[in-house]
Amino acid sequence: MTQTNREALSDLECREEALAGVRDAIAALQGVPATALDTEKHEQLTSAGEDLRSLERALTNETEQLREATDDQ
């Protein structure tokens, strides 16, 4: 494996770990009982969920691109 392949794999592994963490955070947010929150806190939770889903999409795209780049080498 060349240095470039090792670096790409390392980047890929880092992104995959980040993606797993983001997915765990999304799951944790989904476990918060909405009835325990007032309107302001519920809106904050909803916004955080939207931000995390956006981050999940971005990380998913990055990992797919890194996999393709690694496969092409």
Side-chain angles (χ1 to χ4, degrees):
M1 182 180 294
T2 66
Q3 181 66 24
T4 304
N5 284 346
R6 277 192 293 258
E7 289 171 3
L9 184 58
S10 177
D11 287 347
L12 176 58
E13 289 172 340
C14 290
R15 295 297 193 300
E16 287 174 334
E17 287 180 17
L19 181 57
V22 169
R23 288 179 174 157
D24 289 345
I26 291 170
L29 282 178
Q30 291 172 340
V32 175
T35 56
L37 304 174
D38 60 28
T39 302
E40 181 181 343
K41 289 178 184 68
H42 185 265
E43 288 174 4
Q44 288 177 325
L45 190 68
T46 300
S47 177
E50 291 168 358
D51 290 344
L52 284 170
R53 282 186 291 280
S54 177
L55 181 56
E56 179 188 29
R57 283 189 299 275
L59 287 168
T60 298
N61 289 338
E62 286 180 16
T63 56
E64 288 173 359
Q65 290 171 358
L66 286 169
R67 277 192 199 108
E68 289 172 6
T70 302
D71 289 345
D72 290 344
Q73 294 177 358

